[in-house]
Amino acid sequence: AIYELPADVTLSFVPYTQNLQSWIDKARAQGHETLIELPMEPFDPDANDTGPDTLLANAAPRDNVNRLEIVLGKATGYFGVTNYQGARFAASGPASAPVAQALKQRGLVFVGNALGPRTALGVEATRAGLPFTSADRIIDVQQDAAKIDDQLLTLEALALQNGSALGSGFAFPVTIDQIKDWAKNLSQRGYVLAPASAVIESRTARR
């Protein structure tokens, strides 16, 4: 993903990654902007282990902020965060508010992955003044080349309709291959590939 995808593709990293700073440095050296994935409590923690630094829906605000600081302190060079799981956490306003405020104080942004602006987290981000946007599509829910292509075409349609579109995916080989092929002639079809930060700026300006 770092070396084969266009530089305008934003990359995110799980904070438990070994040699995390080295991976972020490599990504930035290739022109990618980067995000840190915040482990957040899912609805089924037994099925989705998000590790020891997970932000919890029922934890005390100070505990969640402490865990947030631990995660953010693992590396430098990222411009914002995204969620690693997190449906249960994002549904709690009391849990989300202090985290959104802490991210705002750090000058970061939040790029939601399957977490929209109408979640409690999205609402609290707006209240805190934290720049927040969410991916319009997860393009590789089905790890199938034709299905991924369909999702990429849907992003094109959404961009035409709304002015921008944001897709997210995983570093599966098939995902990387399809994005590479799709991006080759994107400009000829009248679109500009842009990093997530540009989409956030565009959407914020239209509000």
Side-chain angles (χ1 to χ4, degrees):
I2 290 173
Y3 293 107
E4 296 184 16
L5 290 179
D8 285 320
V9 175
T10 300
L11 301 179
S12 67
F13 295 87
V14 175
Y16 308 121
T17 303
Q18 188 173 7
N19 300 319
L20 174 62
Q21 188 64 61
S22 174
W23 287 110
I24 289 177
D25 291 344
K26 289 176 182 178
R28 295 188 68 200
Q30 294 299 312
H32 300 282
E33 63 181 22
T34 59
L35 297 164
I36 289 287
E37 299 181 20
L38 290 183
M40 296 180 173
E41 185 179 7
F43 278 118
D44 188 355
D46 292 330
N48 300 284
D49 183 5
T50 48
D53 298 325
T54 299
L55 307 184
L56 302 174
N58 294 322
R62 173 44 53 188
D63 291 341
N64 276 332
V65 171
N66 285 343
R67 291 185 178 192
L68 173 68
E69 296 293 338
I70 290 172
V71 171
L72 298 180
K74 291 179 181 288
T76 60
Y78 50 87
F79 81 101
V81 300
T82 186
N83 55 291
Y84 175 31
Q85 299 291 335
R88 182 184 294 276
F89 178 86
S92 171
S96 297
V99 170
Q101 293 162 11
L103 291 170
K104 168 62 176 177
Q105 290 171 2
R106 276 181 167 258
L108 299 172
V109 305
F110 196 106
V111 181
N113 186 24
L115 297 179
R118 295 183 180 179
T119 60
L121 176 59
V123 171
E124 295 302 332
T126 299
R127 286 177 178 168
L130 172 68
F132 181 99
T133 196
S134 184
D136 299 292
R137 289 290 186 277
I138 300 176
I139 65 171
D140 53 1
V141 173
Q142 300 181 62
Q143 294 180 49
D144 175 86
K147 297 293 185 183
I148 292 172
D149 286 345
D150 287 343
Q151 292 299 319
L152 291 170
L153 289 175
T154 298
L155 288 177
E156 290 188 22
L158 289 171
L160 188 62
Q161 177 180 343
N162 302 321
S164 66
L166 184 62
S168 69
F170 297 90
F172 300 130
V174 65
T175 304
I176 295 172
D177 288 342
Q178 298 315 115
I179 293 175
K180 282 167 53 181
D181 290 342
W182 167 76
K184 286 177 183 176
N185 301 314
L186 195 60
S187 61
Q188 297 178 19
R189 300 196 296 277
Y191 299 95
V192 175
L193 186 63
S197 62
V199 176
I200 293 176
E201 291 177 8
S202 170
R203 292 179 175 180
T204 301
R206 294 201 305 270
R207 288 173 185 165

